Amino acid sequence: MKERFAWHPMARLVGDAPILQHAQLRTALSGQPFRIGGAGELVAAQGQFETLTSGSLSEPRRILRSMASWIRSFEVNAGLFGIGPGVRVAVLGGLEQSLALYGAVEALHLGAELHYLGGMRPDRQAVACGDVDVIYATPAQLRLLPGANWPRMSRIIVGGSKLDARLRAGLAAITPAVVQEFYGASEASFISLAGPDAPLESVGRPYTGVEIDLRGGEIWVRSPYLFERYIGDGSAVWDQGWLSVGEMGRLEAGYLYLSGRAGRMVTVADQNVFPEEMEAVMADFPGIIQVAVLPEQDALRGVVMVAVLQGDMAQEAQILARSRSVFGVLKAPRRLIWRQDWPLLPSGKTDLRALQTWL
C-alpha cells in the first residue's frame, strides 16, 4: 500500500474550478504535507496532512491525519464503488470540507476523472452532475439541486447527516443510481455504510475493517482509518485505541441506528431529547428544505424545544401534529419558526451556532 497521496497517471481534473482549487489539489496529490483551510502554522510532517472538522457545534478544529489512513479506505472503495480509471466522480462542496476533499483526493489517487463542482450555483451543479457516474454529497447539498436528471449516474455516496426518506425517494425519481449512505466523522472517516437493502432508519453495517462498541449507548470505534490527534483542542475521546466522537446510538441485527450527538442532547421535562430525531421527522414533509431543532429557555419548564425551518409554511399544522404524535406534547417542539435565508457552514451542514444566536 502507498503511504502518500499520488496523482494517478490516468487521473483527470475537469470543470470550471478556479486556478486556486487546481493548485490545492496538485499540492495534495504531490505527497507533500498540506492543509486546505484553517489558520496557523502547518504542523503535518511527511506522510501527514491536516483537515478540518465540520464546525457544526463549535469552531472547526484542525486535525492531523496520516495519508495512509485515507489511502486504506481508497483501496476499499475502489472495490465497493468501482472508482478508478475512466470513472467520472463529482464532489459538490469546497475543498475545506472534509467530505469534498476526501472524494476529490480519492478520485485523483485512483485514476478517476474528477469533476470539481464546489463553488458553483446549485442549478449549474445539477446540470453538471448529469455527466458523471459517482457523486459525493451531503443531504443538504442534494436538496438544493433543482431540476436534476441523471440517467447515466451509477452511484450516489451520501454523508454528513442522516438521509431522510423523502430525499431518498426524490433521488430515485431522477436517477437509477444506487444510493449508499455512510456514517462517519472527520476524526474517524468511515464508520458504517448502508446499501439499498439496509433498514431506512439505520446507517448500515460497520464499514470494512471497522469495529463498533456501544458503551452506555455511546458509539466507540476502532479501525485503520482514525485520525492521529487534534492540533489544539477537540472533543473526541481516545481509550486504548478506541475513539468516540460523542455520538449516541444502538445496534440491532448488525445495523447501526443513530440517536444524536451527546453534545446536542437536551433534558426536557426530565426526558432526554435528541434534536436530530425530531429533525428527521420534520425533514420528511414535502416542501421542507432545511430544519433545525434547538433548545429555548422557558420560565415554566426550564427548557423547551423550538424548530426553525426553511420551506413550505403551509406544512406547519401537519408538522406540529406529527411531532406531537411521535414525541409527545412535552418533548415535541413548542413552536415553529420559518426562515428562508439559511446559514450554512463550508461543510454544507447547518450552522447551528448561528441559528441559536439568532433565535
Side-chain angles (χ1 to χ4, degrees):
M1 183 193 76
K2 295 180 180 178
E3 295 295 324
R4 299 184 187 181
F5 301 143
W7 192 290
H8 192 286
M10 296 187 69
R12 293 184 60 218
L13 175 59
V14 301
D16 299 326
I19 295 298
L20 174 61
Q21 275 70 52
H22 283 258
Q24 289 173 326
L25 285 169
R26 289 284 178 186
T27 298
L29 272 296
S30 71
Q32 298 302 306
F34 72 95
R35 180 184 72 242
I36 298 175
E41 181 181 353
L42 182 68
V43 173
Q46 293 299 315
Q48 297 177 323
F49 70 106
E50 298 177 27
T51 185
L52 303 174
T53 63
S54 66
S56 55
L57 300 180
S58 62
E59 288 289 339
R61 306 297 188 184
R62 288 168 55 189
I63 64 176
L64 184 68
R65 273 192 167 276
S66 70
M67 295 183 184
S69 69
W70 271 14
I71 292 172
R72 292 186 183 101
S73 57
F74 294 171
E75 295 174 345
V76 173
N77 291 347
L80 288 177
F81 306 146
I83 297 175
V87 176
R88 300 177 179 184
V89 178
V91 297
L92 304 185
L95 294 177
E96 67 277 9
Q97 174 194 354
S98 182
L99 176 61
L101 180 63
Y102 177 92
V105 173
E106 177 183 72
L108 296 173
H109 185 89
L110 294 177
E113 180 179 289
L114 173 64
H115 293 238
Y116 176 72
L117 309 181
M120 292 175 59
R121 292 192 332 232
D123 58 335
R124 294 187 62 198
Q125 287 183 330
V127 172
C129 283
D131 292 326
V132 303
D133 306 301
V134 177
I135 62 172
Y136 274 95
T138 68
Q141 291 165 344
L142 292 169
R143 290 190 195 101
L144 295 175
L145 302 182
N149 181 30
W150 304 329
R152 68 161 286 165
M153 192 175 294
S154 61
R155 198 173 304 271
I156 301 174
I157 306 167
V158 185
S161 62
K162 186 74 183 77
L163 180 63
D164 60 270
R166 184 169 61 86
L167 178 55
R168 186 184 293 275
L171 292 172
I174 62 172
T175 177
V178 173
V179 177
Q180 292 200 257
E181 175 183 11
F182 74 88
Y183 161 57
S186 300
E187 297 91 337
S189 196
F190 292 94
I191 296 174
S192 66
L193 180 67
D197 58 338
L200 294 182
E201 297 81 9
S202 80
V203 287
R205 296 183 181 275
Y207 180 83
T208 302
V210 173
E211 298 174 80
I212 296 177
D213 184 27
L214 293 185
R215 306 178 186 178
E218 186 174 4
I219 300 168
W220 289 78
V221 298
R222 183 166 64 182
S223 81
Y225 320 117
L226 304 181
F227 82 135
E228 296 189 2
R229 63 178 176 88
Y230 291 106
I231 301 170
D233 296 332
S235 58
V237 179
W238 287 98
D239 179 24
Q240 300 181 31
W242 291 83
L243 179 73
S244 170
V245 295
E247 195 87 44
M248 308 296 286
R250 68 186 192 278
L251 280 168
E252 291 183 5
Y255 289 97
L256 181 64
Y257 295 78
L258 303 180
S259 300
R261 278 288 181 104
R264 290 192 69 193
M265 188 182 74
V266 180
T267 301
V268 177
D270 297 324
Q271 301 178 74
N272 291 336
V273 174
F274 288 100
E276 294 93 333
E277 294 179 327
M278 297 180 180
E279 290 164 357
V281 169
M282 297 180 182
D284 215 19
F285 279 79
I288 301 305
I289 302 171
Q290 302 280 9
V291 57
V293 175
L294 301 165
E296 182 178 63
Q297 295 300 311
D298 180 80
L300 180 61
R301 295 176 175 83
V303 175
V304 296
M305 307 305 292
V306 299
V308 185
L309 301 99
Q310 180 187 38
D312 183 7
M313 296 176 65
Q315 298 288 338
E316 179 161 337
Q318 292 90 334
I319 291 173
L320 281 172
R322 175 66 173 160
S323 298
R324 289 165 183 167
S325 172
V326 173
F327 301 107
V329 174
L330 293 178
K331 291 174 63 176
R334 299 286 292 175
R335 60 194 176 102
L336 308 186
I337 303 171
W338 297 88
R339 173 173 171 157
Q340 299 310 322
D341 60 315
W342 199 262
L344 293 175
L345 297 162
S347 63
K349 295 183 179 181
T350 294
D351 190 337
L352 295 171
R353 291 186 301 140
L355 279 182
Q356 188 76 66
T357 301
W358 173 78
L359 181 64

